Amino acid sequence: MFLRTVFLGMLLALCQFALANQVGIRLAVDSVEKELQNTLARKLEFERIKLREIFQTKQRLHKNVEPEHRYKLYTKLYEEFRTYQMDSAIYYVNLNLKIANDLQDKFKHNQSAIQLAGLYSSAGRFIESNDILKGIPRDGLETELLADYYRTYSDFYSHYGQSTNYIEYFTRSEIYRDSLLAVIPKNSVDYRLILATRNVFSNNQDKAEAELLQLLQEYKEPQHERAVIAYLLGIVHKSRSDREKQIYYFAMSAITDIKNSVKDNASLQSLALVYFEKNDIDKAYIYIQEALDDALFCNVRYRTIENSSFYPIINSAFQEKEQARKKQLTGFLYTISIMSFLLLLVLIIVYLQMKHIKKARKHVSDVNQELQLLNAELLKVNKDLQETNLIKEEYMAQFFELCSSYIDKLDHNRKSMLKKLSNKQYDELNKELKSQDYIKTELDDLYHNFDVIFLSLYPTFIHEFNKLLKPEEQIALKPDELLNSELRIFALIRLGISDSTKIARFLRYSLRTVYNYRVKVKNKVVGSKEDFDERIKEIGKPSI
């Protein structure tokens, strides 16, 4: 019982570990897929950087440089174009061959010949490549060139084997790889990478994976070797049928190739095939199209042949999927059309109902507006009545007070005159009757009482009146004045007395004087003069 419990516990732990590992791999794959999409979107940006570097190198060639220096610059351009555009790389290697022949430099000649043979091999010009390699004396090569010689021969037979699908050429490629390992220092990174490559294709996957993972840690972005290492790790996991890890490493390799503008790449094609196996046709089509475009641009024949063999299959699957999508979209279109027609009917019905409601609302709105206008007029009438009643009440009170005051004064004058008449003071009586002082005093009292009563009814009159005038033309009263002649004229207009004749009679002015005052003030008005009297009549009225 105890052993059974322990066994179940260990099994559960292993299952949890496997599940956690699977989740971790999926997250890593999602991350690298997203990074690949972003890198592909910036592909032209990386190419512009590469072309800028190539342009700068070409600019240096325009200077009058020595053949030795020109040879170095052509070699640099060869390196730039080797994995980017094969024809340009061949062009600059041929220029180097000419310089080597002119200088009669055997080392440079052999170096350029090996480079040219490698380019012809990649371009599918196998006969020319083979002729060049056969013409190179292996025994007379320096150690440095010997490694390039064996590498080029290994690549030549590998490319030839991929083009002919003849196993013998792959075997010869492995033989030359072994020869290459024999001349490279065993402690070099290059040796470790070639050895790992041999282990990959010799089915020694575990050993190859361990070495490649170590190398992957040593090479960082954007070193080109990192793309090769990641691609070989993808091949390792392809032999194990692990699609998630294939996607992870092939995508990592593709990212590095794109950043370095490497058109001679195998990662995008391999990635397309993995997605095709997963039945993710959309991604498979995108990557095979990218891979084919790169191969055609670079003019790498064996890559073009490989991509062309897979492209029709993936393209056919993609087209079938597109057709299925089109059928589905057609079905959706019919459904949407029917629903749109029904929706149109509903909209027409709703529109008619809304139109009816709108008409009813407009009628209600018109009635409401009429009611509001009537209410406003009624309110105005009520306020006017209130104002009129208030004025009447004030005037009645002041009127009775003034009448009482004048009656008292008349009675006082009567008694004074009667007394003087009884005392036979005829001269004094005659003098008093002829004097104008009494009339002037009474007029001053009348105007003063008018000013007091008016300002008590309209305390803001002077301020609001001045607001109607230009700032520099506003009326300033003397310290002992309540109203002056101009203000009294417009005070009477505010009370509704607009006729100049009545105003002149009340103020005991001539008609010309009243007219001149009114014209003079109107010339000081801000804005229109036509409605000035009407604006005066609005002073002191409460706003509705």
Side-chain angles (χ1 to χ4, degrees), residues 123-141:
R125 298 163 65 174
F126 298 115
I127 295 175
E128 294 164 276
S129 177
N130 190 38
D131 289 343
I132 293 172
L133 287 171
K134 284 181 179 181
I136 298 172
R138 182 176 60 182
D139 295 337
L141 289 175

Side-chain angles (χ1 to χ4, degrees), residues 2 6-7 20 27 33 56 99 101 154 166 196 206 260 312 314-315 354 400 429 436 445 467 474 482 506 529 542:
F2 175 75
V6 172
F7 175 75
L27 290 173
E33 282 181 322
Q56 290 171 353
I99 292 174
N101 291 333
S154 177
Y166 185 42
D206 293 338
N260 287 295
I314 296 175
N315 183 55
M354 291 295 291
F400 281 115
L429 183 62
Q436 296 292 324
D445 288 344
K467 283 169 63 177
Q474 293 182 358
L482 295 176
F506 178 80
K529 301 175 184 178

Side-chain angles (χ1 to χ4, degrees), residues 322-358:
E322 285 296 299
Q323 288 296 327
R325 282 178 181 169
K326 286 180 182 178
K327 288 180 181 179
Q328 189 179 33
L329 286 173
T330 303
F332 287 152
L333 184 61
Y334 286 137
T335 304
I336 291 171
S337 299
I338 294 170
M339 293 181 69
S340 299
F341 177 72
L342 294 174
L343 180 61
L344 182 61
L345 289 177
V346 172
L347 287 174
I348 291 171
I349 295 170
V350 170
Y351 172 75
L352 293 174
Q353 291 294 324
M354 291 295 291
K355 192 174 181 181
H356 179 71
I357 293 171
K358 184 178 179 181

Side-chain angles (χ1 to χ4, degrees), residues 24 28 48 100 102 151 178-179 182 200 217 269 275 291 317 328 340 361 466-467 502 525 542:
R48 280 195 292 269
D102 292 342
R151 183 182 285 106
D178 291 340
S179 299
V200 169
Q217 295 296 320
Q269 173 195 296
Y275 280 118
Q328 189 179 33
S340 299
R361 284 179 177 173
N466 273 329
K467 283 169 63 177
K502 292 182 179 180
V525 173

